[in-house]
């Protein structure tokens, strides 16, 4: 009877031991699980902290990305602006190149013009030098001829025609030199533009003797303010000696008249007899008689001088 009881007791003890072992195992397992759970909670806390940091980093990265996108957009706009500027600069460079080419062409043309102008200037300078030489030669001839004329006219009965026949003077040369002197006087005292104006003696159908007398009167008006007018009623004088005598006589009369304060009028006209009359009268018929300082004195059969109420000079044809 004790045998079954002992067996039962042994079984109970074994069962108790097994239960105790299982309880201890379960407790160890629970402790391990608790420790593992604590570790997991710590890990979760750590991971949560890391996740928060990661989220913050993501937020920072997103902010940086936004900034980067803005910078990229700004850089794109800047690149486009620079591209536009580059296009403008290239266009300006092309235009500058074209301008440079055009300027080079104009410079070449200007250089050519300057070379032509320099050559023309040298040519004009040479011509001017030649003209100066010609002028000096003519002046020397005029001085020589005037000296010969003075010597010839000093003899009372010498006529210009006779002087020409003897070779002392040449009437046509004398007359031409007188016209040259008149033209020079015109340029010095009358011409508006002495260097560029054409000579009045070059005009067609001009009477050079009449023009020389009118130039003398105009020059006296400009130089000394003389109140002198000319009235020419004579036909052109064909004979050089007679034309020269008329011009010189008129010049001497005008030179004397220029000293008078009253206005005077020089009338040159043909007479029915064929002679030529040179009369100096008051410009106003109511004016007083003209009293010249000294009338011209010429001892020649070709000239007759009447000095009364007015000065009347007759140049004969024979």
């Amino acid at each position: 009877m004790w045998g079954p009881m002992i067996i039962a007791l042994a079984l109970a003890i074994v069962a108790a031991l097994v239960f105790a072992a299982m309880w201890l195992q379960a407790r160890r397992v629970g402790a391990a699980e608790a420790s593992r759970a604590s570790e997991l909670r710590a890990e979760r806390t750590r991971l949560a902290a890391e996740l928060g940091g990661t989220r913050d980093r993501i937020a920072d990265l997103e902010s940086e990305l936004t900034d980067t996108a803005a910078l990229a957009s700004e850089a794109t706009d800047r690149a486009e602006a620079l591209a536009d500027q580059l296009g403008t600069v290239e266009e300006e460079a092309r235009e500058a190149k074209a301008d440079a080419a055009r300027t080079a062409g104009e410079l070449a043309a200007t250089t050519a013009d300057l070379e032509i102008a320099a050559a023309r200037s040298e040519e004009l300078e040479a011509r001017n030098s030649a003209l100066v030489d010609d002028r000096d030669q003519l002046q020397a001839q005029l001085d020589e001829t005037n000296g010969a004329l003075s010597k010839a006219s000093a003899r009372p009965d010498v006529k210009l025609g006779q002087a020409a026949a003897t070779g002392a003077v040449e009437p046509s040369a004398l007359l031409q030199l007188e016209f040259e002197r008149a033209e020079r006087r015109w340029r010095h005292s009358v011409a508006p533009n002495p260097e560029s104006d054409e000579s009045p003696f070059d005009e067609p159908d001009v009477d050079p003797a009449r023009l020389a007398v009118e130039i003398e009167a105009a020059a006296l008006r400009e130089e000394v303010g003389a109140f002198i007018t000319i009235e020419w009623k004579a036909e052109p004088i064909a004979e050089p000696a007679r034309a020269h005598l008329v011009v010189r006589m008129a010049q001497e009369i005008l030179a004397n008249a220029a000293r008078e304060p009253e206005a005077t009028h020089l009338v040159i006209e043909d007479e029915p007899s064929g002679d030529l009359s040179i009369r100096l009268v008051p410009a106003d018929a109511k004016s007083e008689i003209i009293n010249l300082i000294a009338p011209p004195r010429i001892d020649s059969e070709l000239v007759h001088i009447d000095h009364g109420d007015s000065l009347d000079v007759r140049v004969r044809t024979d």
Side-chain angles (χ1 to χ4, degrees):
M1 125 179 226
W2 289 103
M5 291 181 63
I6 293 171
I7 295 170
L9 183 59
L11 289 172
I13 292 169
V14 171
L17 290 171
V18 171
F19 180 78
M22 291 178 62
W23 180 79
L24 290 172
Q25 182 65 30
R27 190 173 180 180
R28 284 195 298 271
V29 172
E33 289 295 331
S35 176
R36 178 63 178 167
S38 177
E39 291 176 359
L40 289 176
R41 283 194 297 272
E43 182 68 19
R44 184 182 65 183
T45 300
R46 185 181 64 78
L47 291 174
E50 290 181 359
L51 179 61
T54 301
R55 289 175 178 173
D56 293 338
R57 181 59 180 166
I58 291 173
D60 293 338
L61 291 174
E62 289 178 349
S63 178
E64 291 178 359
L65 181 60
T66 301
D67 294 339
T68 303
L71 291 174
S73 177
E74 183 179 353
T76 301
D77 296 339
R78 180 61 178 169
E80 292 177 355
L82 290 174
D84 294 338
Q85 291 179 3
L86 180 60
T88 302
V89 169
E90 290 176 349
E91 180 64 25
E92 291 176 352
R94 286 192 294 270
E95 293 178 357
K97 185 177 181 180
D99 291 340
R102 184 165 52 252
T103 302
E106 293 175 354
L107 180 59
T110 302
T111 302
D113 292 341
L114 287 175
E115 292 176 353
I116 295 173
R120 179 60 176 167
S121 177
E122 292 177 357
E123 179 183 354
L124 290 176
E125 185 176 354
R127 290 181 59 186
N128 184 61
S129 178
L131 289 174
V132 170
D133 294 339
D134 292 343
R135 182 197 64 187
D136 294 340
Q137 292 178 5
L138 287 174
Q139 184 63 45
Q141 292 176 10
L142 180 59
D143 294 340
E144 180 181 356
T145 303
N146 283 337
L149 182 59
S150 298
K151 292 179 181 179
S153 61
R155 291 178 291 172
D157 296 326
V158 174
K159 298 181 181 180
L160 289 177
Q162 294 173 344
T166 61
V169 290
E170 175 64 36
S172 59
L174 282 175
L175 184 61
Q176 185 59 41
L177 287 172
E178 194 59 46
F179 292 158
E180 293 290 338
R181 191 194 71 84
E183 179 179 351
R184 183 171 65 254
R185 188 157 171 75
W186 172 80
R187 290 197 180 276
H188 289 173
S189 301
V190 182
N193 296 304
E195 296 183 0
S196 60
D197 287 351
E198 295 183 0
S199 171
F201 288 94
D202 294 337
E203 296 181 4
D205 301 328
V206 67
D207 183 354
R210 174 179 179 177
L211 180 58
V213 174
E214 291 176 343
I215 287 174
E216 187 69 22
L220 289 171
R221 287 195 296 269
E222 293 292 331
E223 293 170 354
V224 299
F227 300 100
I228 302 174
T229 55
I230 303 294
E231 184 178 2
W232 189 283
K233 298 181 179 179
E235 294 294 327
I237 306 171
E239 184 182 354
R242 187 164 180 259
H244 181 263
L245 181 59
V246 170
V247 171
R248 289 294 297 120
M249 180 63 68
Q251 289 173 346
E252 290 300 321
I253 294 173
L254 290 173
N256 279 334
R259 307 174 188 176
E260 295 297 314
E262 301 294 334
T264 55
H265 187 57
L266 187 67
V267 181
I268 302 174
E269 61 183 343
D270 292 325
E271 296 289 339
S273 63
D275 296 342
L276 188 141
S277 172
I278 306 174
R279 291 182 294 111
L280 184 67
V281 298
D284 186 353
K286 298 180 181 179
S287 299
E288 297 179 358
I289 297 173
I290 300 175
N291 294 315
L292 292 175
I293 295 175
R297 290 182 295 179
I298 298 180
D299 296 328
S300 174
E301 296 178 359
L302 293 177
V303 179
H304 173 74
I305 300 175
D306 183 9
H307 188 214
D309 294 343
S310 62
L311 180 64
D312 191 353
V313 179
R314 294 178 183 273
V315 180
R316 295 191 177 91
T317 57
D318 54 8

